[in-house]
């Protein structure tokens, strides 16, 4: 499949989560508008070292982002008078970025392969998943004072992958660890990984 690439420092998009984005750079304003107009997916590329960001020749992989990325579809929430956009990127899944495609666009277009995950939680992992859910709910009640926003957040925590994605997005303070969670293909391994983080106190407060 073809995806528009949005490379960002320390940002990871998890499947079944929504990432709010303020878009102001002209090439990415064009990218988002084209993605919405043509229903094209956007991949969120995790930049490890900003000093390595640079032009990418057609037909080559993008060397400055991790090859595993979350992808989703953009929804323009607000177009401001100064031309900037508030966008919600709704995560659909994850993929492996391959080579760039030369469409003469100001942004990068890549060929990518969708990665299918194991999303069935084994019975022996249900207790740990429920524990993560409880920790996340406590965090929501503490950090989201607006009742409408809080209720909307809670309504989107039904599926195991929604719980895991939201937990990794909001509870894990280390961005490299967030990317590690994204790259795990089995939800049971993700639950174990996040459970170990709770025990080691590697979480946000």
């Amino acid at each position: 499949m073809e995806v528009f690439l949005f490379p960002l420092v320390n940002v990871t998009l998890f499947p079944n989560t929504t990432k709010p984005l303020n878009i102001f750079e002209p090439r990415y304003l064009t990218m988002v508008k084209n993605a919405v107009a043509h229903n094209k997916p956007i991949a969120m590329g995790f930049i490890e070292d900003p000093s390595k960001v640079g032009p990418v020749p057609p037909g080559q992989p993008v060397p400055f982002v991790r090859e595993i990325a979350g992808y989703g579809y953009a929804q323009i929430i607000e177009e401001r008078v100064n031309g900037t956009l508030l966008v919600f990127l709704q995560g659909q899944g994850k993929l492996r970025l391959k080579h760039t495609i030369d469409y003469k666009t100001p942004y990068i277009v890549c060929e990518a392969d969708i990665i299918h995950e194991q999303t069935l939680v084994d019975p022996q992992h249900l207790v740990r998943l429920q524990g993560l859910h409880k920790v996340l709910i406590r965090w929501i009640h503490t950090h989201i004072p607006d009742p409408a926003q809080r209720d909307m957040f809670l309504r989107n925590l039904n599926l195991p992958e929604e719980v895991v994605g939201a937990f990794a997005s909001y509870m894990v303070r280390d961005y490299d660890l967030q990317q590690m969670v994204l790259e795990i293909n089995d939800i049971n391994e993700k639950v174990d990984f996040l459970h170990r983080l709770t025990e080691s106190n590697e979480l946000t407060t």
Side-chain angles (χ1 to χ4, degrees):
M1 68 183 295
E2 293 181 4
V3 294
F4 297 168
L5 179 63
F6 193 10
L8 288 171
V9 177
N10 293 335
V11 178
T12 299
L13 177 67
F14 288 92
N16 298 289
T17 65
T18 299
K19 183 76 67 176
L21 300 166
N22 283 299
I23 311 296
F24 55 86
E25 193 172 341
R27 58 179 164 171
Y28 295 123
L29 290 169
T30 300
M31 181 190 73
V32 167
K33 290 177 181 179
N34 287 347
V36 171
H38 302 288
N39 196 34
K40 288 285 189 178
I42 294 174
M44 186 82 66
F46 184 90
I47 297 176
E48 294 187 277
D49 185 351
S51 68
K52 295 182 179 179
V53 174
V56 183
Q60 297 296 313
V62 182
F64 52 83
V65 299
R66 297 283 282 268
E67 68 173 356
I68 305 300
Y71 77 94
Y73 292 86
Q75 178 184 6
I76 296 175
I77 303 301
E78 180 184 2
E79 184 165 4
R80 306 183 181 99
V81 292
N82 62 2
T84 63
L85 298 174
L86 172 61
V87 171
F88 282 0
L89 189 59
Q90 299 171 328
Q92 298 294 309
K94 73 181 187 184
L95 44 73
R96 187 181 306 275
L97 296 168
K98 297 169 69 178
H99 56 271
T100 59
I101 303 171
D102 188 16
Y103 283 146
K104 310 298 183 186
T105 56
Y107 50 87
I108 298 173
V109 182
C110 285
E111 185 68 29
D113 291 332
I114 292 177
I115 298 173
H116 298 285
E117 295 190 311
Q118 155 65 288
T119 58
L120 181 63
V121 180
D122 297 334
Q124 62 266 33
H125 288 88
L126 285 175
V127 172
R128 287 185 173 181
L129 177 65
Q130 291 166 357
L132 297 178
H133 194 187
K134 289 178 182 178
V135 171
L136 183 57
I137 288 176
R138 286 199 299 269
W139 182 90
I140 291 169
H141 282 285
T142 302
H143 291 84
I144 303 179
D146 183 88
Q149 292 182 359
R150 188 167 60 238
D151 291 345
M152 182 177 66
F153 202 141
L154 293 171
R155 285 198 301 271
N156 291 314
L157 294 178
N158 298 313
L159 299 174
E161 54 266 38
E162 292 172 342
V163 174
V164 167
F167 192 98
S169 294
Y170 295 99
M171 301 299 299
V172 179
R173 63 160 68 96
D174 187 289
Y175 298 115
D176 289 310
L177 292 177
Q178 288 187 12
Q179 180 68 20
M180 287 176 65
V181 175
L182 176 70
E183 294 181 7
I184 298 171
N185 292 331
D186 188 322
I187 195 167
N188 298 288
E189 295 179 21
K190 294 187 184 194
V191 169
D192 281 341
F193 186 87
L194 293 172
H195 175 75
R196 291 195 299 271
L197 291 183
T198 62
E199 292 188 324
S200 64
N201 200 31
E202 289 286 338
L203 301 177
T204 187
T205 55

